[in-house]
């Protein structure tokens, strides 16, 4: 059979990589920006709305948005237990509202996954500086960018503070005054800020590294 000159014969077309995909919880909030970032890095992405969507994923990002809404929808969609199960053996990264949802205590009654040994204070920065941007050092990012010494440009939008981090969770980044804005517990990651709103892919690559991604 003849083939157009620029097309590979069907038997030579490389199979799409099906061994690694990450999900983005797409109930509410800024899930799209995470998807754009992951595609830019070259990773297969799936939007997660039901428990079946978690099947075969290597990790999951829970975006920023409104943590009470994300929590309520997760309950409604029957996702609370499946997400807790998933988090026992897979990487999960929560940004902002997602970090609140991962925590074990947010000082109010709202559905939480309780997967990470962190407590948070919602909207901790008050009205005046509800949103701000600041460069912070994140030494852990060296794992994916050994030659890059730049601080990370952290964008905070009605952000929570991570009030306490108890082992096995550990502090990943703080503001200059010591207030905690990122934490890690094994494959679980929480950031009070929004790396998906920058064009710096280091945080996403760090998460992918926790999820077992080998960039071939
Ligand atoms: N203030 C929101 C909350 O408490 C979080 C804001 C965000 O995700 N950008 O859930």
């Amino acid at each position: 059979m003849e083939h157009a000159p620029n097309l590979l014969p069907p038997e030579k077309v490389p199979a799409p990589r099906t061994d690694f995909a990450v999900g983005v919880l797409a109930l509410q909030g800024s899930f799209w920006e995470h998807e754009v970032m992951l595609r830019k890095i070259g990773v297969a992405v799936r939007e997660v709305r039901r428990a079946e969507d978690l099947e075969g994923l290597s990790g999951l990002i829970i975006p920023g948005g409104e943590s009470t809404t994300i929590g309520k929808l997760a309950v409604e969609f029957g996702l609370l237990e499946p997400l807790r199960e998933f988090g026992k053996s897979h990487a999960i990264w929560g940004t902002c509202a997602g970090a609140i949802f991962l925590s074990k205590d947010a000082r109010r009654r709202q559905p939480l996954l309780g997967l990470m040994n962190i407590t948070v204070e919602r909207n901790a920065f008050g009205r005046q500086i509800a949103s701000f941007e600041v460069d912070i050092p994140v030494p852990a990012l060296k794992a994916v960018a050994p030659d890059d010494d730049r601080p990370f440009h952290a964008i905070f939008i009605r952000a929570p503070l991570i009030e306490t981090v108890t082992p096995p969770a550990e502090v990943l980044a703080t503001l200059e005054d010591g207030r905690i804005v990122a934490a890690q517990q094994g494959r679980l990651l929480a950031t009070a800020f929004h790396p998906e709103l920058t064009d710096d892919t280091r945080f996403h690559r760090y998460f992918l590294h926790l999820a077992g991604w080998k960039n071939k």
Side-chain angles (χ1 to χ4, degrees):
M1 210 224 258
E2 288 297 312
H3 297 286
N6 293 332
L7 292 180
L8 287 169
E11 66 278 10
K12 294 249 171 81
V13 175
R17 268 188 74 176
T18 51
D19 58 330
F20 191 94
V22 293
V24 182
L25 189 66
L27 299 176
Q28 189 265 340
S30 56
F31 50 89
W32 176 248
E33 290 79 355
H34 278 294
E35 291 177 36
V36 170
M37 200 69 154
L38 292 165
R39 292 209 178 90
K40 187 163 134 184
I41 298 170
V43 173
V45 191
R46 186 190 305 157
E47 292 186 355
V48 171
R49 293 191 179 82
R50 330 193 152 264
E52 308 87 88
D53 299 334
L54 292 167
E55 194 65 41
L57 295 177
S58 294
L60 178 77
I61 295 180
I62 305 176
E66 196 53 48
S67 59
T68 41
T69 310
I70 293 174
K72 274 183 199 156
L73 290 171
V75 171
E76 222 166 278
F77 283 63
L79 272 168
L80 225 44
E81 279 313 316
L83 287 173
R84 286 182 183 137
E85 257 331 287
F86 186 83
K88 285 184 191 161
S89 50
H90 296 84
I92 302 186
W93 174 20
T95 54
C96 205
I100 297 169
F101 193 42
L102 275 177
S103 75
K104 62 173 187 190
D105 187 0
R107 288 195 191 181
R108 304 187 207 188
R109 280 176 62 87
Q110 66 182 80
L112 300 174
L113 291 177
L115 280 167
M116 282 186 79
N117 236 354
I118 59 173
T119 66
V120 300
E121 182 193 351
R122 291 180 59 191
N123 304 315
F125 295 97
R127 272 202 210 149
Q128 295 302 321
I129 49 161
S131 300
F132 63 100
E133 306 185 10
V134 63
D135 287 339
I136 54 171
V138 189
L141 297 180
K142 284 268 179 194
V144 291
D147 303 324
D148 195 339
D149 288 321
R150 286 173 306 155
F152 197 87
H153 188 69
I155 301 176
F156 294 84
I157 304 168
R158 286 177 288 104
L161 251 185
I162 302 174
E163 280 188 298
T164 63
V165 173
T166 316
E170 44 194 337
V171 175
L172 210 58
T174 64
L175 297 175
E176 217 171 5
D177 61 10
R179 286 183 291 176
I180 304 164
V181 290
Q184 180 176 344
Q185 179 177 326
R187 293 180 178 173
L188 305 174
L189 200 56
T191 57
F193 48 94
H194 291 268
E196 77 283 8
L197 300 181
T198 70
D199 52 21
D200 188 338
T201 58
R202 280 178 295 167
F203 241 108
H204 285 77
R205 286 187 284 128
Y206 186 68
F207 165 70
L208 292 170
H209 153 79
L210 297 180
W213 163 250
K214 307 259 184 304
N215 199 355
K216 290 175 204 159

